[in-house]
Amino acid sequence: MIDYIVTTGANLYHDLHHSLDLPLSQGTPFVNDNELFEKDIIRIYDIFMEYEVLAATDNWLMRTFSRPEFQKRMGTRELHYLLGKFADEVEKERGTVGKSFIAEAYRYEVPIYTSSPGDSTLGLDIAALNLVGKSIYIDSSIDVNETAALILEAKQIGKSGVVVWGGGSPKNFILQPEPALQEVLGFDIKGHDYFVQVTDARPDTGGLSGATPNEAVSWAKIDPDTVNQSVVCYSDTTIVMPLLTAYLESCKIRRKPKRLYKKLPKLTDKLREKFLQQKDLILGKRSVADTIQFLKGSKG
Amino acid sequence: MIDYIVTTGANLYHDLHHSLDLPLSQGTPFVNDNELFEKDIIRIYDIFMEYEVLAATDNWLMRTFSRPEFQKRMGTRELHYLLGKFADEVEKERGTVGKSFIAEAYRYEVPIYTSSPGDSTLGLDIAALNLVGKSIYIDSSIDVNETAALILEAKQIGKSGVVVWGGGSPKNFILQPEPALQEVLGFDIKGHDYFVQVTDARPDTGGLSGATPNEAVSWAKIDPDTVNQSVVCYSDTTIVMPLLTAYLESCKIRRKPKRLYKKLPKLTDKLREKFLQQKDLILGKRSVADTIQFLKGSKG
Amino acid sequence: MIDYIVTTGANLYHDLHHSLDLPLSQGTPFVNDNELFEKDIIRIYDIFMEYEVLAATDNWLMRTFSRPEFQKRMGTRELHYLLGKFADEVEKERGTVGKSFIAEAYRYEVPIYTSSPGDSTLGLDIAALNLVGKSIYIDSSIDVNETAALILEAKQIGKSGVVVWGGGSPKNFILQPEPALQEVLGFDIKGHDYFVQVTDARPDTGGLSGATPNEAVSWAKIDPDTVNQSVVCYSDTTIVMPLLTAYLESCKIRRKPKRLYKKLPKLTDKLREKFLQQKDLILGKRSVADTIQFLKGSKG
Amino acid sequence: MIDYIVTTGANLYHDLHHSLDLPLSQGTPFVNDNELFEKDIIRIYDIFMEYEVLAATDNWLMRTFSRPEFQKRMGTRELHYLLGKFADEVEKERGTVGKSFIAEAYRYEVPIYTSSPGDSTLGLDIAALNLVGKSIYIDSSIDVNETAALILEAKQIGKSGVVVWGGGSPKNFILQPEPALQEVLGFDIKGHDYFVQVTDARPDTGGLSGATPNEAVSWAKIDPDTVNQSVVCYSDTTIVMPLLTAYLESCKIRRKPKRLYKKLPKLTDKLREKFLQQKDLILGKRSVADTIQFLKGSKG
């Protein structure tokens, strides 16, 4: 039921431990971390893993990223698809099929993006390979234009919506195609029709993570006519995600997978073409000349 | 007193409104956002700006990013330095010198990095220029290696520390040079000596934003011998930053600026050289062979 | 499955709207409260009621509290039991049996206490009746001694535990019988064997609402040998209570109701008797003489 | 500058350690509480005290509460004033004058109320004395009527306002005189003119602690005409209280103390008298008859 995903590199990196059949265990956060350090045990809140788990994952990633398929400039959709393909292979070998979402996304051709390609061990491994002369490069602009192309298409054939788990940079990334299309590229489209967020971030700190759907209306990220249908649930995602998934299961809704992965190059070409037809409107609702006029005006 | 900065593109983008002398105003978050949308007013919690402010900033950015200096592959240190240079120019013209931190950082040669170069209007503008054939292109691997080079140097000549305001992707990015150096590149260094964080994120959600300094010890990001000196202040940064700044002012401590911006290419060469001398240790404390052995072992 | 309850007066007061078949409705918190005020509509976050709902409840309460049964000095166990009895009557008349927990508690003889008898409209109504000469009068000391008597008995016949939903004054009240018995009354008992808390309060503010079970060990409120079995769930109780209730239902555990209401006078007499046998130990582990010695010593 | 205080018994109880010159020390919350328990050390987040500190305070309280002045039925204003008087004495003996707020409030005749008289060690000590036949009794209705009388007087001679630090039961207690006067006692007054709250409680959990000033308008607790001047600061009170106090100091505002303690019996008589003149209006804006009509109507 998922069309595309924006997540962090860390989620993808630690997902691969499952593909590689490496052991993680759940414990308690009330531990002595200096003792863990002595014993080469790594902790993520209440999840524990031996240092070997990271070393083995890095070793597999280094060998995988060194393959000829990766030696190019690409967006993260392609990077994660290729990783998913090799994760799928290793899962078949090791009997771990279905344990990772990166391989599952590969199998259903669901594009996965990350907003911060250098952040996480995936990014560290790629940078290390660059140091020794490998030519694997990530270009975030490809991702930016592809996600804008996706929303432009969605808006032309129907409605659009997002489900946000948590906040941070991925929240901004999944919402920014709306201003990209309207403000930067000058398309006359509306904000999202549906918006659901599960987060523990509070609005009153002023940050984007806790920003309300109403605030997003002022940015044209959400359609003012449908914002009343938005849902924000203030809770830990690990409580709500199983509940919502169980509910969707119980509804027995079946959707044909959209398999967007392969459609994206064509959609991006379409975006480029349409944009070039109107590039004198490059700054959205106002022309460049008007804006310069305004800039001058704001001084006088 | 600041050696280098990791921040979000949004902080840098909205900082530029001050350089350009564009008006922002403070109000209340308790407003009707559908009315704001009708009137082309944009809201960030309790800060308001006309749509023209964004349009004018984008117009200036589009023209600036189209200059020949930007048509290359680079890290965000260089991107933000060049932006700071042109912001410095516009500030001198418009009488806004000292209003933005991007121009101030340029003047003091303080490197500014972002972990998510495609995220924020800076990234949207760059991607739009790519659509029309410009060749400005950000490579996060350059940033990853430069920040690792910085920490390697710091550890060899003395102590290191970080001050974290908030959480999210910038928190991970500023802490990851430690595992990059130890786990991925195989250097034998210790974690940070000093760690200060001001955040409203709570540890119990399990996310990195609220992760404690102790958890960071298990990752070797912080030295277990000094973690007791770490400070975590659970508060809104807009309350604590002025307090801490006023305190530092009152201490009358003066430090000679380190002007790291220009030193980084050399430091990165040094990192590469040292890494190549030991690249058979590529996976940190264990050799590749050991790790493969482990991978096999974990199945048998 | 509930032995006794400590709650706020507000929970009991608004519970009575259900007994009286008065309409509440659920809406959105994003409303104009000045408009609500004009229209005599009262809001509790996203629950709305007409002013008449309060007026009608107060009217029923005033008439009920004026009955001869209430004209005495009593603890809140008796107050709430009598209220539950009249709520049970009105529910039978109006066809709302099972809609309130106060009447249900009456039917199962489950004692209900409140730590702040003057706080809430129940307290306001009682105080107003005092102004016109009625002699209804709540003595919290009765509650304090009864809840201590309950725990003393529990400890002598088996194990004890608490489930805390939220925090605040009721959390302190339900935990204080442990120090009352040990520190103030000098009994040699252990802390609770079981502790479960669902709260959104965070430990780092230092308040009791978010205080951890470990902190409670230092106060002897929880047994150090069993504190590792404690559960703290950081979530909104309205998410977790239905989940936990559904789980308990699905376990098909049946317990015979303890019907503690009527047993309490006898248990309290037993507490008094045992206490009088040892009142020279009035200050817990140390005798009065030792303590005076200490007081002197702390000056010299 | 403070007219009256509503607080918890725990704040008052631990305040007395300072009067008695008993040692508390500040440490870290990251400790092993089972070890503390073994060593008879008590922890409140990052504050530590020996068990003797509690024992000595209880011993002093038991002896003080046993004095003839306390053997009566009274409100907490009187209870805390008498305690403050004896604390003042002990402070003069021990050279700790100015260390506690309870003695300072006594000296300035500032009334101190608590909403939960049985909650806290003060309540435990009183209840223990009741077990051995002492006749010290707290009646919260006296407090409810006195605080209503205070607000009625304030509204007749000028404006009123509250400053709320934290939330919980004291927040409700300090705000409830408004509905007590309007809804229960039938006076035609307006809500508070000023409202300031410093809290870490969030509105979205639906509890009173985090409820907004706007929600309070619907309850007539705050005047709709002035609610826009309300201030809510989401922060730890231990950060904001010193800041605000320093600011007020720097303003060099001096107010003559109102010394309300002794005026309260007369104000309460005035409230009773005015209420009796209109007691047929007992349920606020509507008469009893109207309300009964409504109750019947709501069924038909």
Side-chain angles (χ1 to χ4, degrees):
Chain A
M1 301 188 62
I2 294 165
D3 295 333
Y4 74 112
I5 292 170
V6 177
T7 188
T8 62
N11 281 339
L12 294 161
Y13 173 74
H14 294 298
D15 187 43
L16 287 168
H17 306 328
H18 302 299
S19 300
L20 294 170
D21 202 19
L22 298 169
L24 309 181
S25 53
Q26 199 187 349
T28 164
F30 305 111
V31 289
N32 183 327
D33 288 287
N34 286 16
E35 279 177 31
L36 295 184
F37 175 76
E38 287 305 318
K39 294 182 183 163
D40 279 343
I41 295 173
I42 311 275
R43 177 166 79 87
I44 303 177
Y45 192 56
D46 61 353
I47 298 174
F48 295 82
M49 67 196 87
E50 286 180 74
Y51 178 83
E52 299 284 6
V53 168
L54 303 188
T57 308
D58 284 359
N59 184 283
W60 182 83
L61 276 169
M62 289 291 204
R63 284 183 291 127
T64 304
F65 283 152
S66 299
R67 287 168 182 266
E69 294 92 326
F70 286 90
Q71 309 315 309
K72 57 188 289 198
R73 171 172 157 189
M74 58 185 146
T76 61
R77 172 185 57 96
E78 195 170 349
L79 177 80
H80 298 145
Y81 180 81
L82 288 174
L83 259 187
K85 188 182 155 189
F86 288 104
D88 176 64
E89 269 180 26
V90 94
E91 289 184 6
K92 281 172 186 157
E93 269 170 52
R94 291 177 169 259
T96 54
V97 171
K99 297 278 184 191
S100 78
F101 73 86
I102 195 169
E104 201 74 4
Y106 159 78
R107 290 186 282 262
Y108 283 95
E109 294 172 57
V110 175
I112 301 177
Y113 294 97
T114 192
S115 57
S116 47
D119 196 37
S120 84
T121 315
L122 297 185
L124 300 186
D125 291 343
I126 289 171
L129 290 169
N130 284 182
L131 276 186
V132 298
K134 292 287 176 185
S135 52
I136 170 172
Y137 301 130
I138 305 306
D139 182 357
S140 290
S141 287
I142 296 171
D143 296 346
V144 171
N145 288 326
E146 284 184 5
T147 50
L150 263 179
I151 299 302
L152 184 64
E153 182 71 6
K155 282 299 181 191
Q156 280 169 351
I157 61 176
K159 293 184 172 180
S160 70
V162 289
V163 181
V164 179
W165 300 95
S169 179
K171 180 182 176 184
N172 191 61
F173 196 82
I174 207 164
L175 287 174
Q176 70 174 9
E178 287 286 354
L181 289 164
Q182 297 173 68
E183 174 196 330
V184 179
L185 303 177
F187 290 100
D188 185 21
I189 61 158
K190 286 192 158 186
H192 285 298
D193 303 282
Y194 306 109
F195 177 84
V196 174
Q197 178 169 25
V198 180
T199 186
D200 77 312
R202 35 196 301 168
D204 48 68
T205 59
L208 179 73
S209 296
T212 59
N214 286 307
E215 182 175 321
V217 165
S218 83
W219 286 86
K221 288 172 179 172
I222 300 182
D223 189 339
D225 296 336
T226 62
V227 67
N228 285 336
Q229 306 168 17
S230 296
V231 176
V232 180
C233 173
Y234 293 103
S235 180
D236 194 306
T237 57
T238 59
I239 295 174
V240 180
M241 201 185 266
L243 273 179
L244 201 65
T245 309
Y247 171 72
L248 288 174
E249 274 272 313
S250 77
C251 291
K252 295 187 199 292
I253 302 164
R254 293 282 160 227
R255 270 180 57 190
K256 212 183 134 196
K258 291 226 176 95
R259 298 190 177 272
L260 292 175
Y261 177 77
K262 285 183 183 152
K263 296 177 187 162
L264 272 155
K266 219 167 151 183
L267 292 179
T268 309
D269 287 346
K270 209 163 137 187
L271 170 76
R272 180 182 292 108
E273 215 172 286
K274 291 202 174 182
F275 174 56
L276 290 176
Q277 285 162 14
Q278 57 169 14
K279 76 174 165 177
D280 51 318
L281 290 167
I282 197 167
L283 288 164
K285 299 182 192 164
R286 278 122 199 133
S287 73
V288 176
D290 282 355
T291 305
I292 292 169
Q293 190 60 33
F294 170 77
L295 269 165
K296 282 182 188 152
S298 79
K299 281 301 294 177
Chain B
M1 301 186 62
I2 293 166
D3 295 333
Y4 73 112
I5 293 171
V6 177
T7 188
T8 62
N11 281 338
L12 294 160
Y13 173 73
H14 294 298
D15 187 44
L16 288 167
H17 307 328
H18 302 299
S19 300
L20 295 169
D21 202 18
L22 298 168
L24 308 180
S25 53
Q26 199 187 349
T28 165
F30 305 110
V31 289
N32 183 327
D33 288 286
N34 285 16
E35 278 177 32
L36 295 185
F37 175 76
E38 286 305 317
K39 294 180 183 164
D40 279 343
I41 294 173
I42 310 277
R43 177 167 79 87
I44 303 177
Y45 192 56
D46 62 351
I47 298 175
F48 296 81
M49 67 196 86
E50 285 181 74
Y51 179 81
E52 299 284 5
V53 169
L54 302 189
T57 308
D58 285 358
N59 184 284
W60 182 83
L61 276 168
M62 288 291 203
R63 283 182 292 125
T64 305
F65 283 152
S66 298
R67 287 168 182 267
E69 294 91 328
F70 285 90
Q71 309 315 310
K72 58 188 289 200
R73 171 172 152 196
M74 58 185 145
T76 60
R77 174 185 57 96
E78 195 169 352
L79 177 80
H80 299 144
Y81 180 80
L82 288 174
L83 259 188
K85 188 181 157 192
F86 289 103
D88 176 63
E89 269 179 27
V90 92
E91 289 184 6
K92 281 171 187 158
E93 269 170 51
R94 290 175 171 259
T96 54
V97 171
K99 298 278 183 190
S100 77
F101 74 87
I102 195 168
E104 202 72 5
Y106 160 77
R107 290 186 282 263
Y108 284 94
E109 295 172 55
V110 174
I112 301 177
Y113 294 97
T114 191
S115 57
S116 47
D119 197 38
S120 84
T121 315
L122 296 185
L124 300 185
D125 290 343
I126 290 170
L129 289 170
N130 283 182
L131 276 187
V132 297
K134 292 286 176 186
S135 52
I136 170 173
Y137 161 37
I138 305 306
D139 182 357
S140 291
S141 288
I142 296 171
D143 296 347
V144 170
N145 288 326
E146 285 184 5
T147 50
L150 263 179
I151 298 303
L152 184 64
E153 182 70 6
K155 282 298 179 193
Q156 279 168 353
I157 61 177
K159 292 184 172 182
S160 70
V162 289
V163 180
V164 179
W165 301 94
S169 178
K171 180 181 176 184
N172 191 60
F173 196 82
I174 207 163
L175 287 174
Q176 71 174 10
E178 287 287 355
L181 288 165
Q182 298 173 69
E183 172 196 329
V184 179
L185 303 177
F187 289 99
D188 186 20
I189 62 157
K190 285 192 159 186
H192 285 297
D193 304 280
Y194 306 109
F195 177 84
V196 174
Q197 178 169 25
V198 180
T199 186
D200 77 312
R202 38 196 299 169
D204 49 68
T205 59
L208 179 73
S209 296
T212 59
N214 285 308
E215 183 175 322
V217 165
S218 83
W219 287 84
K221 289 172 179 173
I222 300 183
D223 189 339
D225 295 337
T226 60
V227 67
N228 285 338
Q229 306 168 18
S230 297
V231 176
V232 180
C233 173
Y234 294 103
S235 180
D236 195 306
T237 57
T238 59
I239 295 174
V240 180
M241 202 185 266
L243 272 179
L244 201 65
T245 308
Y247 170 71
L248 288 174
E249 273 272 312
S250 77
C251 291
K252 295 188 200 293
I253 302 165
R254 292 281 161 229
R255 270 179 57 189
K256 211 184 132 197
K258 291 227 176 93
R259 298 190 178 272
L260 293 174
Y261 177 77
K262 284 183 184 153
K263 296 176 187 162
L264 271 155
K266 220 168 149 181
L267 292 179
T268 308
D269 288 346
K270 209 163 134 185
L271 171 75
R272 179 181 293 108
E273 218 171 283
K274 291 203 174 183
F275 174 55
L276 290 176
Q277 286 163 12
Q278 58 169 15
K279 77 173 166 180
D280 51 317
L281 289 166
I282 198 166
L283 289 164
K285 299 181 192 166
R286 277 122 201 135
S287 72
V288 177
D290 283 353
T291 305
I292 290 168
Q293 191 60 34
F294 170 78
L295 267 166
K296 282 184 189 150
S298 79
K299 279 302 293 178
Chain C
M1 302 188 61
I2 294 165
D3 295 333
Y4 73 113
I5 293 171
V6 176
T7 187
T8 61
N11 281 339
L12 294 161
Y13 173 73
H14 294 298
D15 186 43
L16 287 167
H17 306 327
H18 302 299
S19 300
L20 295 170
D21 202 19
L22 298 168
L24 308 180
S25 54
Q26 198 187 351
T28 164
F30 305 110
V31 289
N32 183 327
D33 288 286
N34 286 16
E35 278 178 30
L36 295 184
F37 175 77
E38 287 304 318
K39 294 181 184 163
D40 278 343
I41 295 172
I42 310 276
R43 178 166 79 86
I44 303 176
Y45 192 57
D46 60 353
I47 298 175
F48 296 82
M49 66 196 87
E50 286 180 74
Y51 179 82
E52 301 284 7
V53 168
L54 302 189
T57 308
D58 284 359
N59 184 283
W60 182 83
L61 276 168
M62 289 290 204
R63 283 183 292 128
T64 304
F65 283 152
S66 300
R67 288 168 181 266
E69 295 91 327
F70 286 89
Q71 307 317 308
K72 58 187 289 198
R73 171 172 151 198
M74 58 185 143
T76 61
R77 174 184 58 95
E78 194 169 351
L79 177 80
H80 299 145
Y81 180 80
L82 288 173
L83 258 188
K85 186 180 156 191
F86 289 102
D88 176 62
E89 269 180 27
V90 93
E91 289 185 6
K92 280 172 186 156
E93 269 169 52
R94 290 176 169 258
T96 53
V97 171
K99 297 278 183 191
S100 77
F101 74 86
I102 195 168
E104 201 73 5
Y106 160 78
R107 291 185 282 262
Y108 285 94
E109 295 171 58
V110 175
I112 301 177
Y113 293 97
T114 191
S115 57
S116 46
D119 196 38
S120 84
T121 314
L122 296 185
L124 300 185
D125 290 343
I126 290 169
L129 290 169
N130 283 182
L131 277 186
V132 298
K134 293 286 177 184
S135 53
I136 170 172
Y137 162 37
I138 306 306
D139 181 356
S140 291
S141 288
I142 297 171
D143 296 347
V144 170
N145 287 326
E146 285 183 4
T147 51
L150 263 179
I151 299 301
L152 184 65
E153 180 72 6
K155 283 298 181 194
Q156 279 169 351
I157 61 175
K159 292 184 172 180
S160 70
V162 288
V163 181
V164 179
W165 301 94
S169 178
K171 180 182 176 183
N172 192 60
F173 196 83
I174 207 164
L175 287 173
Q176 71 175 8
E178 287 286 355
L181 289 165
Q182 299 173 68
E183 173 196 330
V184 179
L185 304 177
F187 290 100
D188 185 21
I189 61 158
K190 286 194 158 185
H192 285 298
D193 304 280
Y194 306 108
F195 177 83
V196 174
Q197 180 171 24
V198 180
T199 186
D200 77 312
R202 36 195 301 169
D204 48 68
T205 59
L208 178 74
S209 296
T212 60
N214 286 308
E215 182 174 321
V217 165
S218 83
W219 286 85
K221 289 172 180 173
I222 300 181
D223 188 338
D225 295 336
T226 61
V227 67
N228 285 336
Q229 306 167 17
S230 296
V231 175
V232 180
C233 174
Y234 293 102
S235 180
D236 196 305
T237 57
T238 58
I239 295 174
V240 180
M241 202 185 267
L243 272 178
L244 201 65
T245 309
Y247 170 72
L248 288 174
E249 273 272 313
S250 77
C251 291
K252 296 186 199 293
I253 303 164
R254 294 281 160 228
R255 270 181 56 191
K256 211 183 136 197
K258 293 224 175 96
R259 298 190 177 272
L260 293 174
Y261 177 77
K262 285 182 183 154
K263 297 176 187 162
L264 272 155
K266 219 168 151 182
L267 292 180
T268 309
D269 287 345
K270 209 164 137 187
L271 171 76
R272 179 181 294 108
E273 216 172 285
K274 291 202 174 183
F275 174 55
L276 290 176
Q277 285 163 12
Q278 58 171 15
K279 76 174 165 178
D280 51 319
L281 289 166
I282 198 167
L283 288 164
K285 300 182 193 165
R286 278 122 199 133
S287 72
V288 176
D290 283 354
T291 305
I292 291 168
Q293 191 59 37
F294 171 78
L295 267 167
K296 283 184 188 151
S298 80
K299 278 303 292 177
Chain D
M1 303 187 60
I2 294 165
D3 294 333
Y4 73 112
I5 292 171
V6 176
T7 188
T8 62
N11 281 338
L12 293 161
Y13 173 73
H14 294 298
D15 187 42
L16 287 167
H17 307 327
H18 302 299
S19 299
L20 294 169
D21 202 19
L22 298 169
L24 309 180
S25 54
Q26 197 187 352
T28 164
F30 305 110
V31 289
N32 183 329
D33 288 287
N34 286 16
E35 278 177 31
L36 295 184
F37 175 76
E38 287 304 319
K39 294 179 185 165
D40 277 343
I41 295 172
I42 310 277
R43 177 167 79 87
I44 303 177
Y45 192 56
D46 61 352
I47 298 175
F48 296 81
M49 66 195 89
E50 285 181 74
Y51 179 82
E52 300 284 4
V53 169
L54 302 189
T57 308
D58 285 359
N59 185 283
W60 182 83
L61 276 168
M62 289 291 204
R63 284 182 292 127
T64 305
F65 283 152
S66 300
R67 287 167 182 267
E69 295 91 327
F70 286 90
Q71 308 317 307
K72 58 188 288 201
R73 170 173 157 189
M74 59 185 143
T76 61
R77 174 184 58 96
E78 195 170 350
L79 176 78
H80 299 145
Y81 180 80
L82 288 174
L83 259 189
K85 187 180 156 193
F86 289 103
D88 177 62
E89 269 180 26
V90 94
E91 289 184 8
K92 281 171 188 158
E93 269 170 50
R94 291 176 169 259
T96 53
V97 171
K99 297 278 183 191
S100 78
F101 73 86
I102 195 168
E104 202 72 5
Y106 160 78
R107 291 185 281 263
Y108 285 94
E109 295 173 54
V110 174
I112 302 177
Y113 293 97
T114 192
S115 57
S116 46
D119 196 37
S120 85
T121 315
L122 297 185
L124 300 185
D125 290 344
I126 290 170
L129 289 170
N130 283 182
L131 277 186
V132 297
K134 293 286 177 186
S135 53
I136 170 171
Y137 301 129
I138 305 306
D139 182 357
S140 291
S141 287
I142 296 171
D143 296 346
V144 170
N145 287 326
E146 285 185 4
T147 50
L150 262 179
I151 299 302
L152 184 64
E153 181 72 4
K155 283 299 182 193
Q156 279 169 352
I157 61 174
K159 292 184 172 179
S160 70
V162 289
V163 180
V164 179
W165 301 95
S169 177
K171 180 182 177 183
N172 191 60
F173 196 83
I174 207 164
L175 287 173
Q176 71 175 11
E178 287 287 355
L181 289 164
Q182 298 174 68
E183 174 197 328
V184 179
L185 304 177
F187 290 99
D188 186 20
I189 61 157
K190 284 194 160 185
H192 284 298
D193 304 281
Y194 306 109
F195 177 83
V196 174
Q197 179 169 24
V198 179
T199 187
D200 77 311
R202 36 195 304 168
D204 48 69
T205 58
L208 179 74
S209 296
T212 60
N214 285 308
E215 182 174 321
V217 165
S218 82
W219 287 84
K221 290 172 179 173
I222 299 182
D223 188 338
D225 295 337
T226 61
V227 67
N228 285 336
Q229 307 168 18
S230 297
V231 175
V232 180
C233 173
Y234 294 102
S235 181
D236 196 306
T237 57
T238 59
I239 295 174
V240 180
M241 202 185 265
L243 272 179
L244 201 66
T245 309
Y247 170 72
L248 288 174
E249 274 272 313
S250 77
C251 292
K252 295 187 200 293
I253 303 164
R254 294 281 160 228
R255 271 179 57 187
K256 211 183 133 194
K258 293 227 176 92
R259 299 190 177 271
L260 292 174
Y261 177 78
K262 285 182 182 153
K263 297 177 186 161
L264 272 155
K266 219 168 149 182
L267 292 178
T268 308
D269 287 346
K270 209 165 136 185
L271 171 75
R272 179 181 294 106
E273 215 172 285
K274 290 205 174 181
F275 174 55
L276 290 175
Q277 285 164 11
Q278 57 170 12
K279 76 173 167 177
D280 51 319
L281 290 166
I282 197 166
L283 288 164
K285 300 180 193 166
R286 278 124 200 132
S287 72
V288 176
D290 283 354
T291 305
I292 291 168
Q293 190 61 35
F294 170 78
L295 267 166
K296 283 183 188 153
S298 80
K299 279 302 294 177

